[in-house]
Amino acid sequence: MKYSKWIPLLFCLVWLTACRQDAPHFRIGVAQCSDDSWRHKMNDEILREAMFYEGVSVEIRSAGDDNSKQAEDVHYFMDEGVDLLIISANEAAPMTPIVEEAYQRGIPVILVDRKILSDKYTAYIGADNYEIGRSVGNYIASRLEGKGNVVELTGLSGSTPAMERHQGFMAAISKFPDIKLIDKADAAWERGPAEIEMDSMLRHHPKIDAVYAHNDRIAPGAYQAAKKAGREKEMIFVGIDALPGKGNGLELVLDSVLDATFIYPTNGDKVMQLAMDILEKRPYPKETVMNTAVVDRTNAHVMQLQTTHISELDNKIETLNGRIGGYLSRVATQQVVMYGSLVILLLVAGLLLVVYKSLRSKNRLNKELFQQKQQLEEQRDQLIQLSHQLEEATHAKLVFFTNISHDFRTPLTLVADPVEHLLADKTLSGDQHRMLMLIQRNVNILLRLVNQILDFRKYENGKMEFTPVSVDILSSFEGWNESFQAVARKKHIHFSFDSMPETDYHTLADMEKLERIYFNLLSNAFKFTPENGKIAVRLSSLNKEDKRWIRFTVANTGSMISAEHIRNVFDRFYKIDMHHAGSGIGLALVKAFVEMHGGTIAVESDEKLGTIFTVELPVQSCETVATEPDDILVSPDFRTTDILLTEEEELVKGYDSSKPSVLVIDDNEDIRSYVHTLLHTDYTVIEAADGSEGIRKAMKYVPDLIISDVMMPGIDGIECCRRLKSELQTCHIPVILLTACSLDEQRIQGYDGGADSYISKPFSSQLLMARVRNLIDSHRRLKQFFGDGQTLAKEDVCDMDKDFVERFKSLIEEKMGDSGLNVEDLGKEMGLSRVQLYRKIKSLTNYSPNELLRIARLKKAASLLASSDMTVAEIGYEVGFSSPSYFTKCYKEQFGESPTDFLKRKG
């Protein structure tokens, strides 16, 4: 082929591009001083916040309260070349020179929770330990009514929190002469030392009124010592941290072990935000101090409810993050299916044409041979010639798509490389960068599809290279497993690798094809395993037919292949159903590569256990491979690491109520991103990935307009439109349907479901923006109808909205005399929440419910002023105002004169 010399270069380009995209932009090292529940909570918050920044890698190391270990951790991060260090110093003095060294090497350093004896750091974030100590002192003084004996159990004496908490405490109790600190001991932040020290204090001091513990691990140790001595009821116990969860401060207060604990915030998310401000050159404060508050029996239960709710929200965030990977995988698969289907159609059409021409040629030749027996030799020559032509034509058709695939790669490369250069331009706007990323992602998908088809074609023609080398399969698998750790953490999948001990796994194999076998099977396992599922790889050895074999299995939970599909799962272009998307080539290539090694592959599937792929490869020596036929050509291939699930972080968009809002419902992430880019300047854009999520967000935000795709999994666009138009909260919202199908029947279904407009894909951005603008402007004119019943009386408004506004106005007339009437009460009467009522009324009338209520009251008051002899105060109370002065103020703002001026003018 004329393009074959470019194949190695293209493969290298694809591989380098994939590696560069996977590399993180920033690497952050976290050197924690200890390993406890407070630190665990901070670490979890840091990692969770990091998920919202694309290309950020965070590594956390704990020193276990060991200064030398923490110094080693900091030097490790410096040697690794991290972009930023987050350090919580175990003790101030030993860690000061280490932090200064990192700072002088140009690495930004954020100190968290604990300071050093120097100002050579980039920023500090943490609570004010002096203020916490002072608050504890004031609390104990209040509880003891200014008189009593106190003992103090401190944290590690060399750490700055221990020093500052003691200083703040002493500053507070110094104002109370009758409160004495009779003893103080270093409990090293742990429960065990605290129990020992408290036991010693109890023996030396017969009267102790209060115990001040520097954290909530020290406090229960002191309480346990007092309980053993039978003196726990004689004194109060105060700790610091107030963490939720079993055995932590919040539960200890609820269990009456502690009388109080003080909140010591972790704020791992704010630590990560500060780190990104520094790395991305945004302004940031040098010192960030967090607030504290006391937690005792009066508010501990409320705190527990709040922390439980926050924990549930955190879990939901992690769940949504896992779903994003699934949605992106589905988009990529749909692209592969589309182009794969096109390839199959072209190939089938070509083959049918060849067959048709062959049949016609043979029929004609047979007829000529029958009619012209005397010219047998001449006809035989003609037949041979035609057969040769037929062979050439058949071969030409079979290689047609292979040549087309090669030709695709040249223009795709000419697209990919300029896009790569454009992405490196730092002057690009955000929208331009997102559009180029969209182009780049889809070019890579096309290249991957073309390369996979070319590989399969080479295998069918017997021209796939088999280059065996000595391989340690155990070492190779362990190295390849690292590529899957990120996706395992992202989806919370338990990924385990096990091998038979004391076994030699050396054999001769084609390293590249072995890698593709392993990556394909493991990538499929991660694709079809749900969150919190399990994936297990088992490597073992066995003897079969007097020969040693190596077996490995890939098992995953959560997916099942039925018996009718298992028989065909390795066939090329075979797909189980629309829910198992893919081109159908991957497993066929895996089977081909396994057979090239002389091995076998099988699959088992069970509803309870999941799916297990088993690969068995014979152990081969140099002599064994030498006997294999050597009739295959050399052709490089690309690495398969790019089949891993792409990790992208969800873009968080704030809801700006000052602009018209548009809800975009589409299961294609790229379409949602493109529409967001078109509209976000003039509109607040809300996104939903399917019909169910779209209905929920429409009910929550009540947008000014909805744009929905028609073909979506689950609830499609037509059904979504029908449901929205049948709900009171959303029936007034205009809906634009996007579709790749131009059939009139589908359009009729959409309009019957209540759609206001139809736009076909691929759509013009100007057309879409014009329809959005016109529909929203038209809806604004409807608001005039509802706000003033005398205008636009012929406007086309649905009966449900007319009835809703009339019922709301009647309700205001009925209850306006109640001065305590509020939006919550009105919402209950109308069957809506406060937020839903506000957005519905605002969308229909351009007034808030409170504004409509005040206008109705003032109009009624003006009527009473003109037609009755009631005083101004009486009229104000009659229409529901809480005071005459407020009534007068509102009346003047509405009508330009006070009620008194009106009465004087009246007469």
Side-chain angles (χ1 to χ4, degrees), residues 14-23 639 641:
V14 172
W15 182 77
L16 290 173
T17 302
C19 291
R20 182 165 57 252
Q21 289 173 342
D22 292 338
R639 295 177 60 88
T641 54

Side-chain angles (χ1 to χ4, degrees), residues 278-348:
I278 294 172
L279 289 173
E280 295 179 348
K281 311 300 183 183
R282 293 192 292 268
Y284 63 90
K286 175 80 171 180
E287 305 282 336
T288 303
V289 179
M290 306 301 176
N291 297 322
T292 186
V294 66
V295 177
D296 56 19
R297 293 181 183 87
T298 63
N299 61 357
H301 182 65
V302 175
M303 288 283 297
Q304 186 183 46
L305 293 176
Q306 290 175 338
T307 55
T308 300
H309 180 63
I310 290 171
S311 177
E312 291 173 354
L313 292 178
D314 288 342
N315 291 335
K316 290 180 180 179
I317 289 173
E318 293 176 0
T319 300
L320 290 174
N321 188 46
R323 288 181 180 175
I324 291 173
Y327 294 149
L328 293 175
S329 175
R330 187 184 304 168
V331 170
T333 301
Q334 289 173 347
Q335 293 283 351
V336 172
V337 170
M338 181 180 67
Y339 290 109
S341 300
L342 179 60
V343 168
I344 294 171
L345 288 174
L346 291 174
L347 187 58
V348 170

